[in-house]
Amino acid sequence: MQKWSVGVRPKEYETKTVEDVYNTVEEVDGKEYEDPDYFYDELGRVRRSERRMAKKVPMMATPPPIPPPMTPTHIAIHNPKNSTSKRWKIACVSATVTLLAVFILATILSFFFFVSSSNTFQKESYGLPRPSMESSLLSKRSDMEMTPNHLLTLLITKRKICILEAASGDEAKSRDAFSVDHIESARLIFHSNLSHAGVPVHPLQFQRFARSQGIDNDCHVIVYDRGQMIWSSYTVWIFKLFGHQKVSLLSGGYLGWKTHQARSGQYKTEQGDAPRKPRQGDFLASWNDSVIITYDDVLLNSEIDNFDVVDAQTKDEFLGTAQGALYGHIKGARNIPVDAVYDWAVGQWKDADHLKGLFNNNALSLRKPVIIYCSTSLRSAMVWWALTRSGYNGKIYFGGWPEWVVRAPDGLRVIGATTET
């Protein structure tokens, strides 16, 4: 055992730091012997206390080294304060003023444009139509009716048209007349191709027939007959019913075409039966409910009164005085026979002023759609054509008086002579 001298540190102890010295025995003051009085007397306790206090004073440790500079992991973007400079303020104000000036200029030009076009663009007030309907009906009339001059222009310029001659009720006689002479490139169609006992054929049946005649969706269909007009107008209605968009009635019919042919050889006709079988058309039939109405709708109208009702029968049939059947009319209907809209003596429709006065006298309003009926829908088609050409929205009740007299309640049908106005 190494002996220490009092107050003297061993050399190996001086070379070690406080952290490297490990001693579980409390230091004593270097006595070479055990002295009980040293450990237990008052002086010994004081000395030991002083040594403990001295040990609590920490030694000055070496300061840690300065950490190396940190390497940045991203690029810091300097975002200066977002403030609008005077230059940007001036640019924004200038752009605003420019846009405002352009808007004012466009408004002024639009105002002058609509004022100058007031003859064709006039606003309706409160949903009521304008007093004069001539300008708005110009395009509708041109679609409904075609003059011989217009048809000749389409033929010369080789436009895509389909000319159809509507046969009369006597199919054999119509076929013979067609073989003798008809408008060049025309095809003959019969009433049985369009209707069965006054009821339109099925849309798919009509589609098959139209395609067999080489009719496409985009061709312009022109229909004429040999002066009766009742057959051609019904054919036009059938084409409208099944969704064809471009259908016109030839003004004057076959006789009108022949009249023009006497003045010019350009209005050509040809003999023989129908030309060779045309290619298959692509017409796609659909149901246009804007031109047709059913019994249930007419019955409902007797309660809600959304439609005006027009009877296209003769006056005797309307009043119930005609012989041969049970005649009469739907309660509340106005009587406008075909003689009132078509002049049979000259083979022409009555002029626009006459038709306008006729419909006004029968209290028909342009704001209200019209139901037209007769006994077979043929005469209804003529009145429907005249109403549509004059700007009315007409629907044909194809069941007509024969269905109404059987199914309608007694209070809604007027049978026999009556004093009803």
Side-chain angles (χ1 to χ4, degrees), residues 317-321 325-331 401 404-406 408-420:
E317 292 173 343
F318 178 81
L319 295 176
T321 58
L326 189 62
Y327 289 106
H329 61 272
I330 298 174
K331 185 177 181 180
W401 174 249
W404 190 261
V405 72
V406 174
D410 293 340
L412 298 179
R413 55 187 180 183
V414 181
I415 303 174
T418 179
T419 58
E420 181 190 13

Side-chain angles (χ1 to χ4, degrees), residues 120-244:
T120 54
F121 298 97
Q122 293 184 1
K123 293 184 178 179
E124 296 180 359
S125 58
Y126 302 99
L128 300 178
R130 293 174 290 146
S132 177
M133 300 295 296
E134 294 299 324
S135 58
S136 64
L137 296 178
L138 185 59
S139 60
K140 180 177 288 188
R141 288 178 178 176
S142 63
D143 291 339
M144 294 291 295
E145 188 174 18
M146 179 176 290
T147 63
N149 291 334
H150 190 186
L151 177 56
L152 178 62
T153 302
L154 297 180
L155 288 171
I156 293 175
T157 56
K158 299 185 181 301
R159 299 297 180 88
K160 191 173 183 179
I161 59 175
C162 297
I163 304 175
L164 303 176
E165 179 177 323
S168 65
D170 191 340
E171 294 187 1
K173 185 178 179 179
S174 297
R175 187 179 289 106
D176 293 340
F178 184 83
S179 299
V180 172
D181 197 21
H182 58 266
I183 297 177
E184 187 178 31
S185 73
R187 294 184 176 277
L188 182 65
I189 61 174
F190 301 101
H191 184 67
S192 58
N193 300 131
L194 313 176
S195 175
H196 294 159
V199 179
V201 298
H202 193 276
L204 293 179
Q205 183 179 351
F206 180 79
Q207 175 179 293
R208 182 170 60 251
F209 164 73
R211 290 183 175 184
S212 69
Q213 300 300 313
I215 297 175
D216 296 330
N217 284 316
D218 58 347
C219 73
H220 194 159
V221 177
I222 297 98
V223 185
Y224 74 94
D225 58 22
R226 294 188 175 260
Q228 299 90 346
M229 298 306 296
I230 196 170
W231 307 104
S232 55
S233 57
Y234 185 82
T235 303
V236 170
W237 177 72
I238 286 291
F239 270 91
K240 289 287 188 181
L241 172 63
F242 291 123
H244 204 289

Side-chain angles (χ1 to χ4, degrees), residues 47-69:
R47 289 177 179 176
R48 287 192 299 270
S49 297
E50 289 177 355
R51 290 191 184 96
R52 291 192 195 101
M53 294 299 295
K55 287 181 181 181
K56 291 181 180 181
V57 178
M59 297 180 63
M60 295 298 294
T62 304
I66 300 175

Side-chain angles (χ1 to χ4, degrees), residues 258-311:
K258 293 293 288 185
T259 301
H260 284 77
Q261 187 184 45
R263 304 170 187 170
S264 172
Q266 290 183 316
Y267 296 85
K268 297 179 182 181
T269 57
E270 59 185 7
Q271 298 178 350
D273 295 331
R276 62 182 179 83
K277 187 176 181 180
R279 64 170 183 81
Q280 189 76 2
D282 62 5
F283 173 68
L284 184 63
S286 60
W287 187 259
N288 181 13
D289 58 2
S290 67
V291 296
I292 195 170
I293 201 166
T294 64
Y295 166 81
D296 294 331
D297 298 321
V298 181
L299 183 62
L300 179 63
N301 183 68
S302 63
E303 300 179 1
I304 60 179
D305 193 29
N306 284 341
F307 295 83
D308 290 328
V309 184
V310 170
D311 188 311

Side-chain angles (χ1 to χ4, degrees), residues 332-344:
R334 290 90 157 170
N335 182 221
I336 303 179
V338 293
D339 297 342
V341 299
Y342 190 79
D343 191 342
W344 300 98

